[in-house]
Amino acid sequence: MRKSTILGLLLAASALGSSASAIADDEARGQLYGVWRITRTPINCQTGLPVAPPFHAIMIFHEDGTLTGYGVPPGSSPALQSPEFGLWNRERGHGNYSFTDLSNTYDAGGAFAGTTELTAQVQIGTDGDTLTHETKIDIFDGNGAFLLSHCGRATGTRFR
């Protein structure tokens, strides 16, 4: 095969790859799946006002409807909690989703202390690369007994 033919084939393949990537990016707009940089803000459930400083988290929404995430709230330590694992669903309306996730908590000695469950309603921004969500956080002790609820608000940007 001549060098010019090979070069032409390589350029065509490169252009097709770029087009496929652009098509995939367009199809992902309005979709939840992907990796997100999240800023979480604990809020008062009644007033909606912040009750603690915002903190950062990472969430990965997998195409199969599962999710993983990790964030350490103010006043806590990475040693006191597990990563988050959960499920997400598409809801009615463009860019509307919900998720529920679960993480374990531990005491200072490393013993299991309970679980934290987050339930959220998510809205993807019109740009497809931002999101917001309102969250209910339920805390359970080591025996599974409900202790208390908190609320939160979050914003996120898609990691590319």
Side-chain angles (χ1 to χ4, degrees), residues 79-127:
L80 301 178
Q81 63 191 61
S82 74
E84 301 166 22
F85 301 94
L87 302 169
W88 64 270
N89 293 295
R90 181 183 310 266
E91 301 295 340
R92 296 175 63 97
H94 181 71
N96 294 325
Y97 296 88
S98 63
F99 72 81
T100 301
D101 76 23
L102 171 71
S103 61
N104 290 333
T105 56
Y106 303 91
D107 66 21
F112 177 71
T115 58
T116 302
E117 294 182 20
L118 278 69
T119 304
Q121 299 299 312
V122 182
Q123 174 64 50
I124 302 293
T126 56
D127 62 1

Side-chain angles (χ1 to χ4, degrees), residues 38-44 48-55 137 151-155:
I38 304 292
T39 300
R40 294 175 172 169
T41 303
I43 61 171
N44 179 297
L49 296 174
V51 295
F55 64 99
I137 302 112
C151 294
R153 182 176 300 124
T155 58

Side-chain angles (χ1 to χ4, degrees), residues 5-19:
T5 304
I6 292 171
L7 182 58
L9 289 172
L10 289 173
L11 288 172
S14 175
L16 286 174
S18 295
S19 296

